[in-house]
Amino acid sequence: MSFTPPHVFEQPAPAFDLSQVETPAFVVDLGLLQKNLEKLARVQEASGASILLALKGFSMFAAFPLVRQFLRGCCASGIHEALLAHEEFGREVHVYAPAFKEAEMREIIPIADHISFNSPAQWRKFRPMLDAARAAGKRAPSPGIRVNPEHSEVEVSLYDPCSPGCRLGTRADALENESLDGLEGLHFHALCEQDSDVLERTLAAVERRFPRLLEKVKWVNMGGGHHITRNDYDVERLVRVVRCFKERWGKEVYLEPGEAVALNTGWLIATVMDIVPTDIPTAILDTSATAHMPDTLEMPYRPHILGSDEPGKLAHTFRLGGLTCLAGDVIGEYSFPAPLEPGQKLVFTDMAHYTMVKTTTFNGVPHPDIVLHDPAAGLRLVRRFGYEDFKRRLS
Ligand SMILES: Cc1ncc(COP(=O)(O)O)c(C=O)c1O
């Protein structure tokens, strides 16, 4: 069953003329992004934590000149994100991946500030490379280990890093007989779109399970999944939890949200191309669930469209279908006050995070444009994709 998360109704309508946007297009609004960043900066200031942008959630580097004014750096989940952070963001680079290759480590060592290993075996394998860089007077990242707090409050197991048997992070019993020598950081990531009460309970589990590691390390990275920029998020509790933790343990604290940075800052704008007579009329759009918003099928969730409602609530109900040949390339059923017409534009909300980083060119469907809206300067087309972008990925 797909459902619509309530926060997607919080995003305002675009403050620009839709007729100026060729579709399909992701439009990110710098004014809305700045509001999020200001809230995150207040959290940094009040809590003493450093906040990093998780690139896996939002990597639109055309917006980095704004983001880097507020956040301390990026967290990367793989070699290419690490390179992007180094090239385009230019502040701290923190890297974690379930496993690294030697060739990747050679590229990561000179550019990363922190690296979190998923297992003691990965740490043992790469420690000599880090030590050798330091011995040669070169820069090397501060090493940490990702732990699995085994505290699970994420309902959908696809997104639960603490589900039984999950490969992410080392469990306390697997760390018991390991030497912690040389480790400088503890990393955990166990939240997904959650409030600070969940962080508080997860942190209690970390403190209970990993006191030996906590005593030893300099920094603690509390991962992502903090929905800080949602209107009803309990910021005061977050500040209290981080401050009290810092008082108890005296550690540097990092948070690395992705979604919260770009929450409700972007729209996907699409055009109705045809109306197909099915059991209920199906509008074919110049976008695709599977190629341009795969989370609608994977999670699954039902994105919000401005001016629409649940099927049957308003006078005219339509199914919205994508451009690919996948039978299930269906975004959902929606009702509208007037019948949809070919040429009409539809505006999907909250499309800046995760949606933009997960697109594909399946079926040769044209990729949406990437557009920035600056409230002071108007719309700017940042990138238009063509046949060459499609072809280059194929051989
Ligand atoms: C290790 C790690 N850090 C940060 C994040 C960012 O999470 P979110 O975008 O939910 O804040 C994730 C998301 O999967 C993650 O796995």
Side-chain angles (χ1 to χ4, degrees):
M1 254 302 281
S2 66
F3 112 115
T4 306
H7 68 262
V8 302
F9 297 102
E10 292 173 8
Q11 185 173 347
F16 48 83
D17 180 3
L18 281 185
S19 71
Q20 310 224 316
V21 179
E22 276 188 50
T23 66
F26 289 111
V27 184
V28 170
D29 189 279
L30 288 175
L32 296 174
L33 188 59
Q34 179 156 341
K35 259 178 69 184
N36 284 354
L37 292 166
E38 283 165 354
K39 188 169 185 187
L40 294 170
R42 286 196 295 276
V43 169
Q44 279 188 137
E45 182 68 29
S47 69
S50 293
I51 302 188
L52 309 168
L53 163 65
L55 291 181
K56 72 187 75 186
F58 182 67
S59 286
M60 183 187 180
F61 55 91
F64 286 0
L66 177 70
V67 183
R68 80 163 77 86
Q69 293 172 37
F70 296 89
L71 304 186
R72 305 261 157 84
C74 293
C75 85
S77 25
I79 177 67
H80 291 159
E81 283 188 358
L83 291 168
L84 185 72
H86 176 65
E87 267 181 31
E88 297 291 340
F89 202 95
R91 297 189 75 183
E92 291 183 32
V93 178
H94 296 230
V95 190
Y96 158 79
F100 295 101
K101 294 181 175 168
E102 260 177 58
E104 293 172 343
M105 196 53 62
R106 275 194 291 278
E107 288 194 82
I108 288 169
I109 285 175
I111 61 169
D113 295 277
H114 284 190
I115 184 160
S116 295
F117 295 99
N118 194 52
S119 68
Q122 281 268 299
W123 161 231
R124 277 197 301 274
K125 177 172 176 175
F126 291 113
R127 183 176 187 180
M129 286 175 75
L130 269 64
D131 288 347
R134 267 201 213 97
K138 295 190 187 140
R139 196 181 141 168
S142 171
I145 188 153
R146 174 167 172 174
V147 300
N148 186 321
E150 295 180 74
H151 178 88
S152 178
E153 296 198 37
V154 177
E155 275 164 24
V156 181
S157 73
L158 184 64
Y159 298 104
D160 182 6
C162 294
S163 61
C166 184
R167 73 195 185 292
L168 304 171
T170 300
R171 287 171 175 72
D173 58 357
L175 209 56
E176 222 164 75
N177 299 318
E178 293 287 342
S179 159
L180 305 178
D181 182 53
L183 285 171
E184 297 177 353
L186 179 155
H187 180 293
F188 70 90
H189 167 77
L191 274 60
C192 179
E193 297 187 341
Q194 280 162 318
D195 213 316
S196 42
D197 58 328
V198 182
L199 174 65
E200 190 166 27
R201 291 190 287 274
T202 307
L203 194 55
V206 170
E207 293 184 66
R208 203 170 54 245
R209 290 186 197 277
F210 300 96
R212 189 167 68 101
L213 182 60
L214 268 176
E215 261 160 36
K216 198 174 175 324
V217 295
K218 297 181 187 156
W219 53 265
V220 172
N221 186 322
M222 301 185 182
H226 317 280
H227 232 196
I228 302 170
T229 51
R230 203 180 61 207
N231 284 347
D232 62 352
Y233 183 90
D234 187 350
V235 171
E236 274 172 33
R237 187 198 293 251
L238 173 65
V239 168
R240 193 174 67 242
V241 166
V242 171
R243 286 180 73 99
C244 292
F245 177 81
K246 282 171 76 79
E247 274 161 27
R248 276 198 302 284
W249 294 93
K251 310 294 172 185
E252 237 181 297
V253 170
Y254 289 85
L255 304 171
E256 47 180 36
E259 178 157 337
V261 175
L263 193 73
N264 285 326
T265 63
W267 305 270
L268 174 61
I269 303 176
T271 299
V272 176
M273 298 177 71
D274 193 15
I275 308 288
V276 179
T278 44
D279 53 339
I280 59 168
T282 297
I284 310 287
L285 308 185
D286 61 353
T287 185
S288 157
T290 187
H292 301 161
M293 35 185 147
D295 278 346
T296 60
L297 303 180
E298 196 176 299
M299 275 181 105
Y301 89 100
R302 182 178 179 280
H304 176 53
I305 299 171
L306 291 176
S308 76
D309 209 326
E310 297 285 328
K313 288 267 178 73
L314 301 174
H316 302 274
T317 294
F318 286 78
R319 183 175 299 125
L320 302 183
L323 269 186
T324 75
C325 65
L326 178 74
D329 188 359
V330 169
I331 298 151
E333 290 174 12
Y334 295 79
S335 66
F336 299 88
L340 294 182
E341 303 276 358
Q344 182 174 344
K345 285 187 171 144
L346 297 180
V347 180
F348 293 85
T349 64
D350 197 28
M351 287 284 154
H353 59 83
Y354 288 101
T355 310
M356 282 181 71
V357 292
K358 284 185 152 186
T359 55
T360 70
T361 55
F362 182 50
N363 270 222
V365 170
H367 190 283
D369 286 348
I370 293 179
V371 178
L372 269 180
H373 178 249
D374 180 338
L379 290 164
R380 174 165 72 91
L381 175 65
V382 175
R383 180 114 198 253
R384 172 155 295 162
F385 301 86
Y387 168 63
E388 283 302 322
D389 297 294
F390 164 72
K391 186 178 174 190
R392 267 207 310 264
R393 288 182 63 232
L394 299 176
S395 50

